[in-house]
Amino acid sequence: MIDKTRIIKVRKNPDGDITDVMLTDGNVYAIEDAITLAKDGKIEGVNVGKAKNGREYLRSNADGKKDNNLDNLQLL
């Protein structure tokens, strides 16, 4: 069984969109791959949302803390 991991760092494009994430195991994944991992239940603390245009994106689970929101994580 694979243990769940968390996102600890993010990489953003010039528009501020998250393009890559680093997990606690040190691996870096493109956002599309991270979305797949999250859908498979392999990343803790996030869920997959869908924008009005149909594009999927990752978002932090609501817990009342702002410091662990994806947009507030340390940059890669």
Side-chain angles (χ1 to χ4, degrees), residues 32-51:
E32 296 83 8
D33 295 329
I35 288 170
T36 299
L37 290 170
K39 283 181 172 180
D40 291 342
K42 296 179 180 172
I43 302 177
E44 288 183 346
V46 296
N47 61 78
V48 178
K50 191 174 265 194

Side-chain angles (χ1 to χ4, degrees), residues 13-61:
N13 66 16
D15 293 328
D17 299 322
I18 296 173
T19 60
D20 302 276
V21 299
M22 177 185 279
L23 304 180
T24 51
D25 62 10
N27 289 321
V28 176
Y29 294 94
I31 193 65
E32 296 83 8
D33 295 329
I35 288 170
T36 299
L37 290 170
K39 283 181 172 180
D40 291 342
K42 296 179 180 172
I43 302 177
E44 288 183 346
V46 296
N47 61 78
V48 178
K50 191 174 265 194
K52 289 181 181 180
N53 65 6
R55 184 178 65 91
E56 293 181 317
Y57 62 95
L58 281 181
R59 60 184 178 194
S60 301
N61 291 342

Side-chain angles (χ1 to χ4, degrees), residues 6-8 10 18 21 31 38 43-49 57-73:
R6 295 185 74 82
I7 297 172
I8 57 170
V10 296
I18 296 173
V21 299
I31 193 65
I43 302 177
E44 288 183 346
V46 296
N47 61 78
V48 178
Y57 62 95
L58 281 181
R59 60 184 178 194
S60 301
N61 291 342
D63 63 3
K65 299 177 187 175
K66 293 187 179 192
D67 63 334
N68 63 358
N69 289 348
L70 295 179
D71 276 337
N72 296 336
L73 292 179

